Amino acid sequence: MKISAQNRSWQTPQTFLILISIVVPIAFASWQALLNNFVIEKAAFTGADIGVLQSVREIPGFLAFTAVFMLLFIKEQKFIILSLALLAVGVAITGFFPSFSGLLCTTLLMSVGFHYFETLKQSLSLQWLSKEQAPEVLGKLISIGALASLITYACLWVLLEQLALDFKWIYLIAGAVSLSLVIFIWLGFPTFEAKTVQHKKLILRKRYWLYYALTFMSGARRQIFTVFAGFLMVEKFGYSASDIALLFLINHLFNWFFAKKIGQIIGKVGERKALIFEYVGLILVFAGYAFVESAQWAAGLYVVDHLFFALALAIKTYFQKIADPADIASTAGVAFTINHIAAVVIPVTFGLLWLVSPSSVFIAGTMMAGLSLILAFNIPCQPEQGNEVRKLRWA
């Protein structure tokens, strides 16, 4: 039974968003930080195997558009709780199935929860937050998630280095803690009503084409970082699981300090300038990955690459400014599907390319960042409904 919210000042939409932003770093960050070492040490994966696994992981993201149909039967807030529970359970059982087929199954379960969660979180955030609030609050959520990740990676390091726990027990602990927090959120919050009734059908609008294109390229580039940058650290430079945990610790330390500030900067300078800066930086980062020979320089590129992730929230706030409010839930699902079209294909195809030339994978990432830069120049300085695209102008 739900606790009454009448006398509970903390039971607000923003607090709800904060708490759900803590669950994912505990569950998914643990899964991700241990994955490369787990699959190499326990399941003898090759680059092609990890590519297949990551492609399977992205299939639920490709099917994220189905979230809008689920909303015919379940409210978004309850749906997001169910999604988090699936994520937690999937992570908890990962370590007990150290085989190719076992990892495919547990990854698929975990990924269904993760991708529905991300779709619904974007939808609820853009519905519950005003256009003025959104950049700073979304940055704050990244910062809070980064702090949760910091604590998670610190715990991972202790569990690996000091207690020498087996991977399966670490995965179980991460999943159990996440599920406990999900149960608290489920019992502790009332149902919040959206200001605008959302469409319960798929929405594709021609005037959103630039948002779709930016989202597609973001998904393609993200795979280079998520799948192959971490694999580079382990395979080429011999990073251990505890080394990777420390590297993620540094990443999230930067996000904890700077993500909220980045959100504030986006609110001041606008999405166009923020994304142009991000894509210029990513061109340099991916080119660096292609030719780096030093483990220290590779780690530096990895940290800078991760920091640019915070700037990507500008794509979300750009959409919020140009969108019909009733389109947000439907378009969130469509956007995640678009984001994952490349994500389903790239890990497996680039995994095969990796076997021939790892540098070529990152050169392709450089070209993706360049195309994203061209798209970013088409964002208006003040995007809004009726002023969605600044066509073919560069100044």
Side-chain angles (χ1 to χ4, degrees):
M1 186 175 179
K2 292 276 186 179
I3 300 171
S4 173
Q6 272 189 324
N7 300 313
R8 309 279 187 176
S9 60
W10 56 270
Q11 291 174 318
T12 65
Q14 282 199 29
T15 304
F16 182 91
L17 291 172
I18 287 170
L19 289 178
I20 63 174
S21 297
I22 292 172
V23 175
V24 170
I26 297 172
F28 183 71
S30 297
W31 180 88
Q32 186 179 46
L34 299 175
L35 181 68
N36 287 313
N37 293 89
F38 181 60
V39 300
I40 290 173
E41 295 174 22
K42 300 293 184 179
F45 269 35
T46 65
D49 292 330
I50 193 69
V52 172
L53 182 69
Q54 293 288 5
S55 287
V56 168
R57 182 177 70 84
E58 297 296 359
I59 290 173
F62 180 72
L63 298 175
F65 70 90
T66 59
V68 69
F69 302 122
M70 298 294 291
L71 298 182
L72 293 169
F73 309 101
I74 184 172
K75 289 188 176 182
E76 282 183 272
Q77 192 172 329
K78 291 182 179 179
F79 192 7
I80 205 170
I81 295 295
L82 177 60
S83 300
L84 285 172
L86 290 176
L87 168 63
V89 172
V91 171
I93 64 176
T94 293
F96 292 91
F97 299 92
S99 66
F100 183 72
S101 58
L103 279 163
L104 289 181
C105 293
T106 57
T107 296
L108 190 61
L109 176 63
M110 177 277 300
S111 185
V112 168
F114 175 79
H115 283 99
Y116 274 139
F117 164 78
E118 289 291 337
T119 302
L120 295 164
K121 180 186 174 185
Q122 176 173 322
S123 173
L124 290 175
S125 297
L126 297 183
Q127 290 178 62
W128 288 345
L129 302 174
S130 69
K131 294 176 183 179
E132 293 74 27
Q133 287 179 309
E136 181 174 350
V137 174
L138 291 176
K140 180 180 179 181
L141 294 179
I142 293 174
S143 180
I144 290 169
L147 178 59
S149 296
L150 279 173
I151 297 171
T152 298
Y153 292 126
C155 292
L156 288 177
W157 186 85
V158 171
L159 293 174
L160 288 164
E161 289 294 304
Q162 303 302 314
L163 301 180
L165 283 185
D166 189 80
F167 286 114
K168 67 180 179 181
W169 301 119
I170 300 176
Y171 276 124
L172 180 61
I173 292 169
V177 171
S178 301
L179 187 59
S180 298
L181 187 53
V182 171
I183 293 171
F184 170 78
I185 296 170
W186 171 49
L187 295 175
F189 285 86
T191 300
F192 303 111
E193 298 299 328
K195 296 178 182 178
T196 303
V197 177
Q198 297 295 297
H199 293 302
K200 302 298 191 299
K201 59 182 180 181
L202 292 180
I203 301 292
L204 280 169
R205 300 197 190 279
K206 184 178 179 181
R207 66 189 185 88
Y208 297 160
W209 76 264
L210 182 56
Y211 170 67
Y212 298 147
L214 288 166
T215 300
F216 175 81
M217 293 309 303
S218 176
R221 290 190 324 274
R222 182 171 53 84
Q223 293 308 305
I224 307 296
F225 173 80
T226 303
V227 180
F228 297 104
F231 201 71
L232 177 76
M233 300 298 167
V234 177
E235 185 179 75
K236 183 173 182 178
F237 297 111
Y239 277 60
S240 67
S242 58
D243 292 332
I244 295 294
L246 283 174
L247 195 55
F248 273 83
L249 198 69
I250 295 169
N251 284 344
H252 290 283
L253 184 63
F254 274 86
N255 268 353
W256 178 39
F257 279 121
F258 298 118
K260 182 178 178 180
K261 182 62 69 176
I262 287 172
Q264 293 172 337
I265 291 171
I266 292 172
K268 292 179 181 178
V269 305
E271 290 77 11
R272 184 174 188 267
K273 291 181 179 178
L275 290 174
I276 287 172
F277 176 77
E278 178 190 1
Y279 300 145
V280 169
L282 287 176
I283 289 171
L284 299 175
V285 168
F286 284 132
Y289 278 138
F291 303 107
V292 67
E293 294 296 333
S294 162
Q296 290 75 25
W297 277 105
L301 290 170
Y302 197 74
V303 171
V304 172
D305 194 355
H306 193 273
L307 186 60
F308 279 123
F309 270 69
L311 283 166
L313 68 87
I315 298 176
K316 298 177 183 178
T317 58
Y318 162 67
F319 172 67
Q320 185 188 36
K321 290 179 179 179
I322 66 171
D324 180 334
D327 291 348
I328 288 176
S330 174
T331 306
V334 171
F336 259 80
T337 293
I338 291 171
N339 183 273
H340 286 79
I341 291 173
V344 171
V345 177
I346 283 178
V348 64
T349 56
F350 279 34
L352 296 174
L353 178 61
W354 182 273
L355 298 177
V356 179
S357 173
S359 294
S360 297
V361 171
F362 297 114
I363 290 171
T366 304
M367 292 188 287
M368 291 175 191
L371 181 54
S372 298
L373 178 62
I374 293 172
L375 292 171
F377 277 111
N378 290 297
I379 298 175
C381 291
Q382 295 182 328
E384 58 187 0
Q385 292 188 56
N387 185 34
E388 296 89 2
V389 180
R390 181 178 184 170
K391 296 180 181 176
L392 302 178
R393 292 179 60 184
W394 295 79

